[in-house]
Amino acid sequence: MPQVVLRVAKPFMNIGRFTILMSSAFMSLRELKTYRQNTQIQMVRIGIESIPIVALAAAFSGAVTTVQTAYQLVSPLIPPKIIGAVVVPSLTMELGAVVTGFILSGRVGARIAAELGTMRVTEQIDALEAMGLNSIGYLIVPRVLAGILMVPVLYVAACVIGVLGGVAAAELTGAVSSPEFILGAREHFDIFGPYFGLIKSFVFGFLITAVSCHIGYFTEGGADGVGRSTTRAAVMSCVLILIADLVLAILLL
């Protein structure tokens, strides 16, 4: 019976620990100057080093969306430029942010959980606190802040590269010429699309880094626990991205 109660209560305990951890992290923002160099390092790791894989995923997403849109809109009554009008909003409102979020969940989320989990099980975090260093401010704040700042940058890059991939696919398949593709995109462009995508990228950046930090920071069970934490961070980040995507769509659209 106690095990059943513990399993039921564990999700609520995790929510409480996450809330307390993030509250402590936000309280540590006043010490940000002390951890500025660490924040810059995390911005490079989360943002700059993720550009190649995000660019690859975005390019193929734009190309596939273009090919599928052209396949669905085969009709003499529909002008080819409509392909650009469909592909660009799809990238700016949905694919750019979600694809970037999924890529970073596996690359960044898992790495953060592995790093902090290893530091926890090898008692490095305890050593930092024994030396009088704020472990939350030193380890968690730079990672969360870097995620909030750099994921929107990656989103913008993903949108640009995705559109270029769509244009290239349109030219290679002969579905529509580049001028017509761009003309259709410009005629039906809505500035709300990029704003909506940016809002989602800020939220996704926070979720990926904050959840991964929480899971890694409270890792237990040695090397096996680090492996479980790494998997949990990647899976949980993806699930929360899907939930946040739906919630934001309901609230803002």
Side-chain angles (χ1 to χ4, degrees):
M1 189 67 176
Q3 291 183 351
V4 176
V5 174
L6 183 61
R7 288 182 179 180
V8 173
K10 191 171 183 180
F12 299 99
M13 294 169 58
N14 288 331
I15 293 174
R17 288 199 305 183
F18 176 80
T19 303
I20 295 172
L21 184 68
M22 287 300 106
S23 299
S24 300
F26 285 119
M27 291 291 291
S28 301
L29 284 174
R30 58 191 175 188
E31 305 172 14
L32 185 60
K33 291 183 179 180
T34 307
Y35 314 122
R36 181 170 55 187
Q37 184 177 2
N38 196 14
T39 302
Q40 293 171 349
I41 292 173
Q42 294 302 323
M43 290 175 69
V44 171
R45 291 180 179 177
I46 293 174
I48 305 301
E49 294 180 3
S50 299
I51 288 177
I53 184 63
V54 170
L56 182 66
F60 278 94
S61 296
V64 170
T65 304
T66 299
V67 172
Q68 291 181 346
T69 303
Y71 173 77
Q72 295 292 333
L73 297 179
V74 176
S75 172
L77 302 177
I78 301 176
K81 66 180 181 180
I82 293 299
I83 295 175
V86 172
V87 172
V88 173
S90 299
L91 289 169
T92 57
M93 295 187 69
E94 183 67 18
L95 291 177
V98 173
V99 169
T100 300
F102 282 163
I103 292 294
L104 295 181
S105 295
R107 187 189 181 279
V108 174
R111 180 182 61 80
I112 289 176
E115 287 177 349
L116 297 185
T118 301
M119 294 183 72
R120 172 61 72 183
V121 300
T122 56
E123 300 183 351
Q124 294 180 50
I125 294 178
D126 296 332
L128 290 174
E129 294 177 346
M131 291 187 297
L133 195 65
N134 181 0
S135 63
I136 294 176
Y138 182 75
L139 297 174
I140 294 177
V141 172
R143 288 170 169 81
V144 174
L145 188 59
I148 294 173
L149 293 176
M150 296 307 296
V151 173
V153 175
L154 292 172
Y155 157 77
V156 173
C159 289
V160 173
I161 295 170
V163 171
L164 294 177
V167 171
E171 284 283 1
L172 291 174
T173 59
V176 60
S177 64
S178 299
E180 285 184 305
F181 185 99
I182 296 172
L183 177 62
R186 292 181 63 182
E187 286 183 352
H188 297 84
F189 181 75
D190 184 1
I191 193 63
F192 177 74
Y195 285 150
F196 181 58
L198 276 174
I199 292 171
K200 291 204 293 187
S201 64
F202 278 112
V203 175
F204 294 169
F206 170 77
L207 289 175
I208 293 169
T209 51
V211 169
S212 301
C213 284
H214 168 257
I215 292 174
Y217 192 80
F218 293 107
T219 296
E220 298 176 349
D224 185 56
V226 173
R228 288 196 303 269
S229 294
T230 303
T231 304
R232 282 183 57 208
V235 173
M236 188 63 67
S237 296
C238 290
V239 171
L240 290 177
I241 284 173
L242 293 174
I243 295 173
D245 190 29
L246 176 60
V247 172
L248 290 171
I250 293 173
L251 294 177
L252 299 179
L253 294 181

